[in-house]
Amino acid sequence: MKFLGPTRFHRLNEALAFVFLFAGLFFVLTFVSYHPQDPSWNSAAGIARAHNLTGSAGAYTADFFFQLLGLAALSIPLLLWMLAWRWVRSEEIKSPGIKILGSLLLFLSICTALSIGPEWRPLGGAFSAGGVLGLLLADSLMASLNLTGAVLVTAICLILSVYLISTFSMATAGEWIAGPLRFLRNLHARWDRWRAQRRQVALERAAVRAEKRAAKESKRSKRSEPRVPIVDAPQPEPPRTQPAVPREEEIPIHTLEYDIAPPEPMAPVEVPAPLPVLTRQRKPLAPEVTEHPEYRLPSTDLLNEIPGRNPYDSIELKEIAGRIKAKFEEFNVHGSVVQINPGPVVTTFEFKPEAGIKYSRIITLTEDLCLGLQAESI
């Protein structure tokens, strides 16, 4: 007995692959161009010329498979092409008997699934969707297992047929599902990042709105503060409050050179002995009065001390400096009092404005400062 060599075996597989490819194409053209009026096995007479693309042979073939398997017949070209593709690539088909069994089980499962439930007859009622086999299997399953049992058995057979005719496994299913799951996870992560960014933007906008609202309220409160009325009559002196100048800012108070220091206690003055007074000899009008030998001039301690000048009040001067600064700020002139020079008649306060404030703005506020500070002139 002679056996075929490897080369001849591969050539035979390639030839069968081409046959299966064209057979699958024949079935596709036959099923696509099926017409109910074409001559068939269950019609007594038909038209003289068939509408099918493959002629009368295609019309009889399509009618036979549609009547027997219903719409499950459309899977025949798919199985033929899968088998041809493996043979073209010279791949060995393992367990061909199991593959054939799985193919038959696939046809029967599809037929039964299409026949369970309300009857459906496509293409104008030419055949049943599940075919004759589907109707018989569905009726027998419904009679013995009812609708739920029939659906369960049909689903199990369909999944089992897919396992038998292909390399499908749960690992393969996990790989197929991993891609969509990864996409969904990335989509969910992007959604979370977008929500976090929107939340951060909303918080920043709320903070900006709060700052603007606070600025508006401060401006409104400044505008609503009562101002000193401009009248000719002098206003009563307001009660003294805490100094407006912060405690940490100590204003130097310089005294003038002509300030009078408090007097020092006077030392007793030694009175010299009285000098003799020479007088001309006159005739006394009255009897001479002799001087008492123990008589002395009174001491200067009997005189009152000169009252000293009251020193300046530093707290009052700092309060006036604070009022000057507050009055300038009412007219939006910011600065600080840097030095105070008290005097017996005129006391000077040195005011240092901030950078960018013109000298003319301060000069124009002379009358307003006189009114606010209740001074005769500034």
Side-chain angles (χ1 to χ4, degrees):
M1 180 181 292
K2 295 182 179 181
F3 294 96
L4 295 176
T7 304
R8 291 185 179 181
F9 180 76
H10 291 311
R11 293 178 63 86
L12 179 60
N13 286 343
E14 291 177 358
L16 290 175
F18 281 107
V19 171
F20 277 51
L21 286 174
F22 283 106
L25 180 61
F26 172 78
F27 277 106
V28 169
L29 296 175
T30 299
F31 294 151
V32 169
S33 60
Y34 172 77
H35 195 277
Q37 300 298 328
D38 285 345
S40 59
W41 300 100
N42 58 350
S43 60
I47 58 177
R49 186 177 180 84
H51 296 89
N52 201 292
L53 294 177
T54 55
S56 299
Y60 279 99
T61 303
D63 182 72
F64 173 76
F65 283 104
F66 278 143
Q67 293 294 337
L68 182 64
L69 302 176
L71 295 178
L74 297 176
S75 59
I76 294 176
L78 296 177
L79 293 176
L80 292 176
W81 283 341
M82 289 174 60
L83 184 61
W85 177 250
R86 294 182 67 89
W87 279 345
V88 166
R89 298 174 61 184
S90 299
E91 294 182 1
E92 182 182 0
I93 299 177
K94 299 179 180 180
S95 304
I98 295 177
K99 301 293 184 184
I100 295 173
L101 179 62
S103 301
L104 294 177
L105 189 60
L106 177 65
F107 288 134
L108 297 177
S109 301
I110 296 175
C111 294
T112 307
L114 293 174
S115 298
I116 294 176
E119 187 178 2
W120 175 35
R121 302 183 68 86
L123 296 178
F127 56 89
S128 177
V132 176
L133 289 178
L135 291 175
L136 295 175
L137 292 173
D139 291 340
S140 60
L141 289 176
M142 293 280 289
S144 58
L145 300 175
N146 290 334
L147 179 61
T148 305
V151 171
L152 184 61
V153 171
T154 305
I156 293 173
C157 294
L158 183 61
I159 296 173
L160 184 60
S161 64
V162 172
Y163 266 99
L164 293 177
I165 65 175
S166 65
T167 58
F168 178 80
S169 62
M170 295 304 296
T172 307
E175 294 176 358
W176 290 353
I177 298 173
L181 288 178
R182 192 182 305 110
F183 174 76
L184 292 177
R185 284 195 296 268
N186 294 336
L187 187 62
H188 188 268
R190 291 181 180 178
W191 170 257
D192 290 340
R193 287 195 298 269
W194 181 80
R195 290 185 62 186
Q197 292 176 358
R198 295 292 298 175
R199 191 181 301 108
Q200 184 66 25
V201 171
L203 292 176
E204 292 177 357
R205 290 180 179 175
V208 171
R209 286 196 296 268
E211 292 179 359
K212 291 182 178 179
R213 192 181 302 110
K216 290 182 179 178
E217 289 179 357
S218 62
K219 290 182 180 179
R220 192 179 298 110
S221 62
K222 288 183 179 180
R223 291 178 181 175
S224 62
E225 288 180 357
R227 297 191 177 183
V228 178
I230 302 175
V231 294
D232 295 336
Q235 300 293 330
E237 184 178 355
R240 294 184 179 180
T241 58
Q242 294 295 330
V245 181
R247 294 182 178 178
E248 61 272 15
E249 296 181 3
E250 187 65 27
I251 301 174
I253 301 175
H254 293 181
T255 58
L256 301 180
E257 295 179 356
Y258 50 83
D259 284 352
I260 301 175
E264 297 179 357
M266 299 178 62
V269 179
E270 295 182 358
V271 180
L275 298 176
V277 180
L278 298 178
T279 60
R280 290 182 297 179
Q281 295 294 330
R282 290 183 181 180
K283 187 179 180 179
L285 297 178
E288 265 185 12
V289 178
T290 60
E291 185 177 2
H292 197 280
E294 295 180 1
Y295 176 77
R296 291 183 182 181
L297 294 175
S299 174
T300 57
D301 294 339
L302 299 176
L303 301 175
N304 295 328
E305 295 182 0
I306 301 174
R309 181 177 176 270
N310 294 329
Y312 54 84
D313 190 354
S314 61
I315 297 177
E316 182 180 0
L317 293 178
K318 291 180 181 179
E319 288 180 357
I320 297 173
R323 289 166 55 192
I324 292 173
K325 180 180 178 183
K327 203 64 183 177
F328 272 116
E329 289 180 353
E330 289 182 4
F331 298 97
N332 202 17
V333 176
H334 298 279
S336 60
V337 177
V338 296
Q339 185 171 329
I340 303 174
N341 299 320
V345 180
V346 178
T347 299
T348 60
F349 297 85
E350 295 186 10
F351 181 78
K352 181 180 179 181
E354 292 183 355
I357 298 177
K358 296 183 179 180
Y359 176 72
S360 59
R361 290 185 60 187
I362 302 176
I363 295 300
T364 55
L365 300 176
T366 302
E367 297 180 357
D368 296 321
L369 291 175
C370 286
L371 182 62
L373 300 175
Q374 300 178 1
E376 295 180 1
S377 64
I378 293 182

